[in-house]
Amino acid sequence: MSQPLPLKGIRVIDYSHFLAGPYVGRCLAALGAEVIKVERPGSGDAGRQHAFTLDEHQSGYFLLLNMGKQGVSVNMKDPRGKAFMQKLCDSADVFIENYRPGALEKLGLGYAELSARNPKLVYCSISAYGHTGPDAHRAGFGLIAEAKSGIMQMVGNPGEAPPLLRISLGDMYTGIHAVAAINAALLGRVSSGRGQHIDMALYDTLVSMHEYAVQCYTLSGGTVVPEQTGHDMPTSTLYGVFRAADGDLVIAAQVDDAWKRFAVMLEANGASAGFGTDARFHSLNGRNTHRVEILEVVKGWIAARSVASILALLDEIDVPSAKVQRIDEVIADPQIKARNMVIEQEHPRYGTLRMPNLPFRFSDCDTTIHQVAPDLGEHNAQVAAELGFSAADIAAMQADGVLFSHGGAQ
């Protein structure tokens, strides 16, 4: 690895909490930026109390989302705290926040005020609905955006309430879009000389994910409305989740060539449905029309066999398939190990930590983060000194709780 990380030399102020904003900061840190995590005194980021909790000040959630960052804790109610933050933002290239629109203006940390002092600042806001529109003032989380976006309505079994997705799709998808937007704004700044305000909304990003639902509705004149279908997709036969004798698996045989190979394999292995020779099933529209007939045969054939035996047959004919894995199976997966997707970090209090890696892969630099997430206010003194505060000023701010830390003076 001979190249420096691509964002080396970029300073990021992460004034965010919980998930979407901290994830952006973690990604930028992995790409080489210096990321300074700013937390409120006392309890710090609310993510510190989220699962899995190691002690009263640290959780796996926080350790995952804030690795690679420096940590400061500032009392913005004290004028010295506000001066500290303004000086910190004056030194920054990027500012990340995910509070309700208008909240940071009250603290003197809104885009207008910070960009007037630092015109090169790229300021990224993440909120539920964005900074414009009739719902801009409303609070929200990923769950709210998932429900509003139409995504939740399409999953689950017909006639049942949709299930929770169990991953924070809205936050993470918005977060990685924010990473892309920030990098684009930094690149644009090279020629323009100015930063700008990036306004990211969880609701927007989830609506943008609809690769077929929106266009199906609009192009059909409003007649096609996707509904819950349970374990397969009526518009992509054969594509779905199936239950075998000892577990579940997914099969993607919706492409004509893959379907034909799959149909021939079925007949060769005991399913006498005639799919391989019947022209009705040789096109996607034909398969969709006869979907119920196909599913009845395929489900019965799969139910009598083990997952491993089915996957072996499908691998032989190059039809994409996979076991539905538990998280312990994911962590033990040789492919995940080969791709270094679970990394180890050594923490001074908690020992060896195993965390999911980011999926960035560069040919000539390593984006793996080895630095653990900071304690609350761990780097107060270091950052303050870099900003030009005297030792006496730093000591006074620490003694008065303007710069706060759980371990006392830092």
Side-chain angles (χ1 to χ4, degrees):
M1 301 293 181
S2 60
Q3 290 191 38
L5 288 164
L7 293 185
K8 183 177 176 58
I10 296 295
R11 171 171 277 189
V12 177
I13 309 306
D14 181 353
Y15 200 86
S16 66
H17 60 137
F18 235 116
L19 179 51
Y23 178 73
V24 177
R26 181 195 172 186
C27 289
L28 297 178
L31 295 172
E34 176 196 20
V35 181
I36 300 174
K37 169 83 173 181
V38 182
E39 299 179 75
R40 61 189 176 188
S43 58
D45 183 338
R48 287 184 179 273
Q49 284 75 52
H50 200 52
F52 178 85
T53 305
L54 296 170
D55 58 37
E56 61 179 322
H57 303 309
Q58 201 69 284
S59 69
Y61 198 85
F62 185 88
L63 290 167
L64 170 65
L65 294 167
N66 295 283
M67 62 176 69
K69 304 176 187 180
Q70 299 177 64
V72 299
S73 181
V74 185
N75 180 5
M76 288 291 293
K77 295 179 180 179
D78 189 298
R80 292 171 293 173
K82 182 175 180 179
F84 176 94
M85 276 304 302
Q86 288 179 326
K87 204 166 187 178
L88 182 60
C89 293
D90 289 347
S91 73
D93 298 285
V94 178
F95 184 90
I96 306 165
E97 63 93 7
N98 62 343
Y99 289 85
R100 199 183 303 198
L104 293 197
E105 279 81 353
K106 299 173 184 176
L107 297 176
L109 296 176
Y111 173 68
E113 186 166 344
L114 294 186
S115 65
R117 297 173 58 96
N118 180 5
K120 293 186 176 181
L121 185 67
V122 173
Y123 188 111
C124 181
S125 297
I126 301 174
S127 60
Y129 297 100
H131 282 232
T132 59
D135 290 333
H137 67 285
R138 301 183 67 189
F141 291 91
L143 176 68
I144 309 304
E146 290 158 13
K148 292 274 287 185
S149 68
I151 291 175
M152 184 176 287
Q153 184 271 336
M154 296 191 300
V155 298
N157 295 315
E160 297 179 4
L164 288 174
L165 300 181
R166 295 298 303 275
I167 60 168
S168 300
L169 192 66
D171 291 275
M172 302 297 266
Y173 194 66
T174 304
I176 201 61
H177 271 67
V179 172
I182 288 167
N183 278 288
L186 288 172
L187 183 60
R189 191 181 70 170
V190 173
S191 57
S192 71
R194 295 186 61 84
Q196 56 184 305
H197 185 204
I198 299 168
D199 176 11
M200 303 293 303
L202 274 65
Y203 191 14
D204 291 351
T205 52
L206 288 185
V207 170
S208 78
M209 283 190 75
H210 284 294
E211 86 285 10
Y212 83 99
V214 171
Q215 51 92 358
C216 284
Y217 178 78
T218 57
L219 296 180
S220 70
T223 61
V224 177
V225 178
E227 298 291 346
Q228 292 172 300
T229 60
H231 300 108
D232 74 304
M233 293 179 64
T235 57
S236 296
T237 308
L238 180 87
Y239 187 97
V241 187
F242 300 90
R243 173 142 291 180
D246 59 350
D248 301 319
L249 71 153
V250 295
I251 300 173
Q254 79 282 20
V255 179
D256 287 348
D257 288 345
W259 162 259
K260 291 174 184 176
R261 295 194 299 274
F262 179 74
V264 170
M265 183 277 295
L266 280 179
E267 293 183 7
N269 287 273
S272 56
F275 294 154
T277 56
D278 193 329
R280 294 180 301 161
F281 306 110
H282 288 182
S283 68
L284 181 59
N285 286 338
R287 289 192 297 279
N288 290 340
T289 299
H290 300 282
R291 164 176 163 264
V292 174
E293 180 182 347
I294 291 172
L295 288 176
E296 183 178 349
V297 172
V298 173
K299 286 181 178 180
W301 183 84
I302 289 176
R305 290 163 172 78
S306 69
V307 170
S309 65
I310 297 167
L311 294 181
L313 289 170
L314 295 178
D315 281 347
E316 287 180 6
I317 59 172
D318 197 26
V319 168
S321 59
K323 180 182 180 182
V324 177
Q325 297 192 133
R326 299 184 310 271
I327 201 65
D328 57 321
E329 294 173 306
V330 175
I331 292 172
D333 192 326
Q335 180 67 19
I336 291 303
K337 291 182 177 180
R339 298 286 291 176
N340 194 34
M341 280 305 301
V342 177
I343 58 173
E344 290 189 355
Q345 297 177 322
E346 293 303 321
H347 195 282
R349 286 197 306 280
Y350 310 123
T352 301
L353 306 176
R354 300 178 71 200
M355 297 284 180
N357 202 354
L358 292 169
F360 304 136
R361 295 293 179 272
F362 290 80
S363 64
D364 220 13
C365 57
D366 181 10
T367 61
T368 303
I369 297 176
H370 299 287
Q371 178 186 338
V372 298
D375 287 334
L376 185 60
E378 180 178 344
H379 301 98
N380 285 340
Q382 176 184 324
V383 173
E386 290 174 359
L387 294 175
F389 288 92
S390 68
D393 287 340
I394 295 171
M397 287 192 289
Q398 290 174 325
D400 296 340
V402 178
L403 296 179
F404 178 90
S405 68
H406 279 306
Q410 294 285 336

